[in-house]
Structure formats: structure tokens, C-alpha cells
DNA sequence: CATTTTTGCTAAAAGGTTTTAATAGTGGTC
DNA sequence: GACCACTATTAAAACCTTTTAGCAAAAATG
């Protein structure tokens, strides 16, 4: 199945998921077994299993019997016990979603869409937030592995190289997102952070008033941070301007961060700033609120706040739905065909220009 | 175990979760079986199972053997196959979390904390968003039921009375939150919406400039909406003021909603407005941005935006962590003791007064 | 010393599927 | 009419645990 076909199938499934037949609830205390059906119909369990798994033709079950079974199964609302099924087949039809923090709007949004695509394909999701705690992260991956999830969707935090490599070595399907691990050859889906930052910086540079343009980022070796910085640098190089870079500690106290950003802007007399994450940009806005000073700015990742803020904040926004769709697509491909080659998918970003980078105010 | 003890245990587990022993990864292709251990140690499978399930004493397994087994198990990193375990015991150690929309900040935050408390107790979470689609919601509940989750945490959308009742009838542990279903006697954990709204309204009333105070809500019969309105009404009654109530369609186009709110404020010459949800309040702020008019206001549910907005927005905020903790506590109680009586927990709200309801500006 | 009780452990069943290997019957071929 | 191929179905093994019921040896009892 080529990619575009696959895409269509997914879309189709998704669209029709909620319009299937009228839903019949079969929540009842005594779950009915395949052996009950076999007895009632005077047929063997094997036959029924074959029919239900679509192997009727292959196993030469007569059409008459096939229909009789199918009808009866529908009538009594039989559903195979998934645990028994999973135990036997080794497939749980569950994916593990490990994000940095599910309460972060970016991840929550991704999670929402991943959920939609997964469910449309018959997969459920176990989720968890790993924070920036490597030990916790490894433990959670181990837990999900022990639960025999069919695949992993992970935002790798630092220090996870070995465990991800271990998963791969054991042929566990994995797809990373938001950032990837250069040393480990895995599937990943990321935004085009480099170009996003490049275009944002260029946009700031094109306003002649912006002589001195700074970049606020985090102390982090993660690829998305590196790429954003590289994009910023390239734009500056093109215009032969000096770079001003400030990195904040990942778990810095908010007021400390605020003070640091304020100093950074003041000391360097910055006219404009590119913030590497929306969280940092929000911290930047608090500088504004506290010190009443705000240079031109662009933030990475959109946020409800940015549209409403006065002035509204320009952003490099990620195509969250596309990312989610690709994630599920790549992962399911790997699950269905373990031989499949590794996929690296880079999704373009969109530069949304608002007032914070154009208005002459401030 | 009384509630407070239980609370302590949870807290303890949570705190120590990440500091346990050094983590040893046992991700490996060939999973080791209990029978392998039995063979290696020349002991029966039964004995090992008893020991691992803490029944050594009860089953009179000698201490010597117990230790030998425990040590060996640790050495080879054996972990029981959870599927086989679940199949046999009927317990999956998985909870189903069904929220209206995981990408909504309120639910994402709750999800984060529910996750923490669940994991600390050895439970994992399957999540999904139901939207406002009753059919989808029922289907998802059915799917989770089929997966034999040990319990449900649900924000019931309208039309779910029957399926929740069905779960209850079949002794499936359920706890509702955010709102409940009056006709069905279930566990629930909700905020004290009535008093929250009452206090917020009273706060607005106490400012003598606010003669006309409106309430913007949704067309919805859900309890939390009803309670918030009742709280608003009671405060107005106390001050013998007229009520101005505007309800917006749940899935209304944003610009339509904006226009409706604007009209509502204009037509009634409102001095102040209480918004029944943070989403509505944000829509209200867009009225401000579009028409440049903003009465005094208080929003329900906090949001990053509100602290930063100029003026900052006063809110009735919910104690999300407490709610999450109670949810898990109540649900696990029910799971562990199916006879346990139904719990109704009402968590107080906090009125956070900011500039939008006090500043003389606008 | 015969009987009962306790100790220490285990064989086998149960949980509910899928899948392998086999069987009994039918029709065709030379 | 012996042999083969095919049809339509199934018994039993496998997946990996937990739990029931029971057994043999040792200790306690009268």
C-alpha cells in the first residue's frame, strides 16, 4: 500500500468511525465465549475462530456455515476476549504514548490527534508523562514494554539513547517526535525547526528597525533546540549580524528566568527576540508585564494566549495534526511490516505574522 | 484503611516512585517464563507463583526456598506476563479515562495528575476524548469495557445516563468528575461550583460600580453549568438584583459567539460578567479585542492567559490536583472493595481576584 | 505405636483465544 | 478398485499465568 492510498484509508476510517451502524451496547455481566457459540451451533470452536478471523475462504469453510455463524455471532453480540486473543497472538493493539508532559498544550493537542488516528485503526493508547526525569522515563518504557504494547510513540528526553536503542535491538516498533536521537537510527517525525527559525529570524531581520536580534533558548542538547538555533544563526550569518544567545536552565524558577531574560534584553540592547519555545515566550511576556519592556518578538509553537495578547504575538507554528497523522502512519507501518525501512519525516512549519513583530508600537 | 492513612500511603508511593532502587532494564527479546525458573531451580511452577504473589507464608513455603526463589527471580529479572496474569485473574490493572477533550487545558491537567496517582498505585491509563458525540462516547465506553479495564473515570457528556447505569448494574467501578448524572447513583468528584459562582458573583456585587451583572453560559443541562448558574442567581437574589443570562450554543462558531456576547453586554448595558467556563471567558476577551469593550469580569477555571492578560483576569479556579487525587482514591477504593458505598466528593473552589474585577480602568 | 495434624510442596485445571496438524468423506483418474 | 487430490471440519496444543485440590513426609498426640 503506497503512502497516499494509506492516507485515504485512514481518512476514510476516521470519517466513518462515528457513523457506522447504530451502536449496540453489549455491556453485560456474563461475557459470552466462543465455546458457547460452538455448542449452540453444534460446530467446533476452531471453525468459528477461522470464520471470525476472516479465514473462512482460505480454510474452505462453506458459505452456508460461514453465514450461519456470522449471523449468530452478531445476534448474540459476541466479542472475543481481547486478553486471551492478545495472549495467544502476542498483539495487544495498544500503543504507548510517552510525552514530556501531557499537561503541556502542545503535547495535549498532539495526543488528541494521535488518539483519533489510532482509534480509527483499532489501536488504543496508554499514555504517560515522563517529565525530565530519565530514571522515571526508563521505568515507564520498561512498564509499557512489560505490558507488551505493540509500539511506542516517544518524545525522547535526554539520556534515553540506550533504552531506545535497546527497544530497537529487540525489534520493538518505535517512532520519535518533536526531537530525535541522532546516534540511534529510528523512525521520527519532527517539524522543520531549522527553516522555521530561519524564516522567523529573517522576518525579524527584514524590519530595518531591528538591528540587534537575540535568541532565547534552553540548556538542552535536544535536536529541536539545536535546529532552531542553527536556523537563527544561518539567518544572522546571511545578514552578517552578530548573534546574541541566552540559554535558560530547563527547570529554572520562573522569576529567575524572568530576571535573566530581562537582563539579556537590557544588557544587549536587543530590538527583537526569537523565543525557542512557547513556554519561554510566555516567560518573555511576563518580563513585559513586570518591567514594561518588550522588544519585537516571535515565539516557537502557537498558544491561545498569543492571538489575544496585546500586541498579538507572531509565531512559528507546528502542524500538529499532520505530525500526529504521520506518527501513527509510520508506527503502524512498522508494526505491520517489521522489515520496513526507517522513516524520517520532516513537517514544514508555518510562520504566522502578527503584531509583535510588525507593529511600530512598544 | 481509613482515608487519611490511604492518603499518606499514596503520597509516600508517589514520592518514592522515582527513587526506588537503581532501575534495571529487562527489555530483551526472549521473555523469560515462570516455567523456566521452575526448571532451573528444580521447583514447581506453583511454588514460585505462590512466592511471587506473597503467599509464601500462607502456603507454608520454607523461608529457605522462598529466599532462593526470590533471589533467582531478581537475578534473572523475571516479570510475569501481564496478559496471562490478567486473563487468569480478570484484573488488567488498567483504568479507562474518558474526558470530553484531552486537548482542553483543564482535562490535560487533570489527566497529568490522575496519571501520577494511578501509576503510583500500579495502574495504567487508557485515555480518550469523547467530544460531545454521544454515539462515539458510548462506543468508547464499550471498547474499554471490552478491554476489561478495571474501572472508569468519566466526564459524562449528555446522553450517557443509560450506559453509565449499565456499567453500574454490572458492578463495573465508575467515578464521574467535573459533572455528574443526577438520575444515576454513582461515585463522583466535582468542584463546589455553586459556591464558586456564588462567591464570584458576590465579589462582583460588592463593587458598587457594578449595577448590572450578567452571566454567560452554555446551552447545557450538565450539573456543573446548572450549579454555577444557581450560585450566580443566589448571589443576585441576596442583593435583590436582576439577572441577565446568556447561553451560547455548545459548538457555536467562534465569531458568532463573539458577536452574541458583544450584543448581550451592549443590549443590557452590563457592568460586569461572570463567565461559566474559561473557554467562554476567552471568547469574551476576544470581544474585548474586537470591539474594545470589556466590563468587569470573572472566569471559571484558570488559564495561563488570564494571569498575563492586561488587565489580568479574576477567576474561580478548581483544585485540579485534589480532584485528581480524590478520583483515583475513590475509584481504587471501589475496585478493591466492590461493596463500598457510593462516594460524592465536593472540592472547594478558590476565588482568585485579579485586576479584571477590581481595577477602575476600562 | 497407631492415628491425627501439620508442614512443604506439586499436578492439573482453569482462564479464552488462535493455530497446527490431522481426519473423514467425496470425487476424479488411470 | 487402488490411489490421489481436494473439501469441510475438528481435536488438541499453545500462549502463560493463578488457583484448587491433594499428596507424602514429618511431627504431634493419646
Amino acid at each position: 500500500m503506497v503512502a497516499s492510498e494509506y492516507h485515504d484509508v485512514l481518512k476514510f476510517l476516521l470519517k466513518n468511525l462515528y457513523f457506522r451502524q447504530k451502536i449496540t451496547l453489549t455491556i453485560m455481566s456474563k461475557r459470552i465465549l466462543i465455546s458457547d457459540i460452538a455448542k449452540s451451533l453444534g460446530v467446533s470452536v476452531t471453525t468459528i475462530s477461522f470464520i471470525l478471523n476472516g479465514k473462512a475462504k482460505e480454510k474452505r469453510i462453506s458459505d452456508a456455515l460461514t453465514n450461519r455463524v456470522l449471523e449468530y455471532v452478531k445476534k448474540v453480540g459476541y466479542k472475543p476476549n481481547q486478553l486471551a486473543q492478545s495472549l495467544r497472538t502476542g498483539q495487544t493493539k495498544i500503543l504507548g504514548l510517552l510525552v514530556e508532559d501531557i499537561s503541556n498544550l502542545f503535547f495535549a493537542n498532539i495526543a488528541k490527534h494521535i488518539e483519533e488516528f489510532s482509534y480509527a485503526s483499532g489501536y488504543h493508547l496508554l499514555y504517560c508523562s515522563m517529565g525530565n526525569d530519565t530514571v522515571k522515563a526508563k521505568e515507564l518504557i520498561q512498564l509499557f514494554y512489560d505490558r507488551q504494547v505493540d509500539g511506542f510513540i516517544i518524545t525522547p528526553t535526554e539520556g534515553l539513547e540506550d533504552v531506545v536503542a535497546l527497544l530497537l535491538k529487540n525489534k520493538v516498533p518505535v517512532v520519535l517526535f518533536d526531537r530525535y536521537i541522532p546516534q540511534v537510527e529510528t523512525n521520527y517525525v519532527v517539524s522543520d525547526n531549522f527553516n522555521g527559525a530561519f524564516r522567523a529570524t529573517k522576518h525579524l531581520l527584514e524590519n530595518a528597525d531591528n538591528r540587534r536580534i537575540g535568541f532565547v533558548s534552553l540548556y538542552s542538547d535536544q535536536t529541536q533546540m539545536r535546529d532552531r538555533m542553527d536556523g537563527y544563526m544561518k539567518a544572522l550569518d546571511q545578514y552578517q549580524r552578530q548573534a546574541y544567545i541566552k540559554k535558560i536552565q530547563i527547570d529554572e524558577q520562573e522569576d529567575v528566568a524572568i530576571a535573566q531574560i530581562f537582563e539579556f534584553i537590557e544588557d544587549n540592547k536587543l530590538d527583537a527576540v526569537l523565543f525557542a519555545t512557547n513556554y519561554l515566550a510566555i516567560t518573555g511576556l511576563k518580563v513585559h508585564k513586570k518591567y514594561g519592556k518588550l522588544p519585537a518578538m516571535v515565539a516557537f509553537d502557537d498558544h491561545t494566549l498569543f492571538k489575544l495578547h496585546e500586541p498579538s504575538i507572531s509565531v512559528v507554528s507546528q502542524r500538529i495534526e499532520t505530525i500526529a497523522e504521520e506518527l501513527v502512519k509510520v508506527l503502524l507501518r512498522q508494526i505491520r511490516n517489521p522489515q520496513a525501512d526507517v522513516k524520517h519525516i520532516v513537517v514544514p512549519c508555518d510562520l504566522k505574522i502578527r503584531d509583535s513583530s510588525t507593529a511600530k508600537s512598544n
Side-chain angles (χ1 to χ4, degrees), chain A:
Chain A
M1 188 148 56
V2 297
S4 66
E5 269 180 69
Y6 190 83
H7 180 271
D8 292 341
V9 171
L10 255 185
K11 279 275 170 189
F12 174 83
L13 282 171
L14 195 53
K15 244 196 187 128
N16 289 275
L17 180 61
Y18 317 136
F19 300 104
R20 288 206 286 252
Q21 67 281 37
K22 266 168 285 158
I23 176 171
T24 44
L25 294 175
T26 55
I27 294 173
M28 48 185 106
S29 46
K30 204 196 142 298
R31 302 196 197 233
I32 170 169
L33 310 180
I34 199 172
S35 54
D36 295 337
I37 297 182
K39 211 168 292 167
S40 301
L41 251 41
V43 189
S44 87
V45 165
T46 312
T47 306
I48 297 175
S49 175
F50 282 151
I51 294 174
L52 291 180
N53 289 298
K55 297 187 180 165
K57 279 277 169 301
E58 174 194 341
K59 295 293 178 181
R60 293 180 299 249
I61 313 288
S62 66
D63 289 354
L65 183 53
T66 302
N67 291 330
R68 198 154 65 91
V69 168
L70 250 24
E71 245 164 60
Y72 187 78
V73 161
K74 193 169 181 182
K75 193 183 105 197
V76 298
Y78 165 75
K79 306 228 189 88
N81 179 315
Q82 297 216 33
L83 289 170
Q85 227 168 222
S86 296
L87 177 60
R88 177 64 234 225
T89 63
Q91 290 227 319
T92 52
K93 296 280 180 179
I94 293 183
L95 307 178
L97 173 63
L98 295 112
V99 298
E100 194 176 308
D101 177 3
I102 191 73
S103 70
N104 172 315
L105 210 55
F106 173 69
F107 294 117
N109 271 315
I110 284 266
K112 167 86 175 289
H113 290 115
I114 288 178
E115 177 204 327
E116 281 175 4
F117 290 111
S118 302
Y119 280 52
S121 301
Y123 283 79
H124 285 184
L125 286 166
L126 283 176
Y127 79 91
C128 67
S129 308
M130 307 179 294
N132 277 304
D133 183 330
T134 312
V135 174
K136 184 184 178 192
K138 288 186 181 179
E139 230 170 39
L140 288 166
I141 291 177
Q142 176 76 55
L143 282 173
F144 281 11
Y145 175 82
D146 291 341
R147 283 225 183 253
Q148 301 178 57
V149 297
D150 290 342
F152 284 88
I153 300 176
I154 306 180
T155 54
T157 49
E158 280 163 80
L160 254 45
E161 300 78 12
D162 53 347
V163 55
V164 171
L166 203 51
L167 286 174
L168 252 58
K169 201 180 119 213
N170 290 297
K171 316 272 179 219
V172 181
V174 173
V175 54
L176 308 181
F177 77 105
D178 195 46
R179 52 258 188 172
Y180 56 92
I181 305 177
Q183 314 87 296
V184 184
E185 181 65 2
T186 50
N187 298 303
Y188 62 73
V189 178
V190 296
S191 281
D192 188 350
N193 292 296
F194 179 87
N195 274 308
F198 175 73
R199 285 168 51 209
T201 311
K202 215 165 155 182
H203 161 66
L204 288 171
L205 282 160
E206 276 158 4
N207 183 333
D209 289 349
N210 296 332
R211 305 296 312 165
R212 304 159 74 91
I213 298 178
F215 180 66
V216 174
S217 181
L218 293 170
Y219 280 110
S220 160
D221 274 338
Q222 294 176 354
T223 57
Q224 84 280 26
M225 293 302 159
R226 226 194 35 214
D227 291 347
R228 288 170 196 179
M229 189 168 80
D230 290 351
Y232 160 81
M233 293 295 278
K234 186 179 165 200
L236 286 184
D237 287 354
Q238 259 187 19
Y239 280 66
Q240 305 199 8
R241 296 276 181 82
Q242 194 195 322
Y244 300 92
I245 296 176
K246 174 68 191 176
K247 294 190 179 177
I248 308 284
Q249 212 70 41
I250 285 189
D251 286 322
E252 193 59 87
Q253 290 290 102
E254 187 168 57
D255 35 335
V256 177
I258 292 175
Q260 288 178 346
I261 293 174
F262 176 69
E263 260 177 47
F264 174 59
I265 295 173
E266 283 292 292
D267 291 357
N268 297 299
K269 302 190 179 60
L270 299 179
D271 304 303
V273 176
L274 174 63
F275 289 93
T277 76
N278 66 7
Y279 185 78
L280 285 170
I282 290 174
T283 312
L285 293 179
K286 290 181 181 165
V287 171
H288 173 50
K289 195 165 168 72
K290 190 161 173 187
Y291 299 98
K293 273 220 140 184
L294 189 71
M297 66 180 276
V298 177
F300 234 98
D301 292 354
D302 209 347
H303 193 281
T304 343
L305 177 55
F306 295 153
K307 260 167 281 189
L308 276 168
H309 193 268
E310 195 57 52
S312 59
I313 308 298
S314 302
V315 297
V316 179
S317 86
Q318 304 196 46
R319 297 187 187 170
I320 291 188
E321 191 171 349
T322 308
I323 295 173
E325 186 179 355
E326 291 291 344
L327 279 171
V328 175
K329 213 155 79 180
V330 169
L331 188 56
L332 292 190
R333 200 180 77 112
Q334 184 80 246
I335 289 173
R336 286 168 185 160
N337 173 17
Q339 321 299 338
D341 50 332
V342 167
K343 280 267 184 196
H344 295 175
I345 293 184
V346 178
V347 178
C349 291
D350 300 306
L351 179 60
K352 295 190 178 167
I353 298 175
R354 303 202 180 107
D355 297 341
S356 69
S357 59
T358 51
K360 297 286 167 199
S361 62
N362 338 298

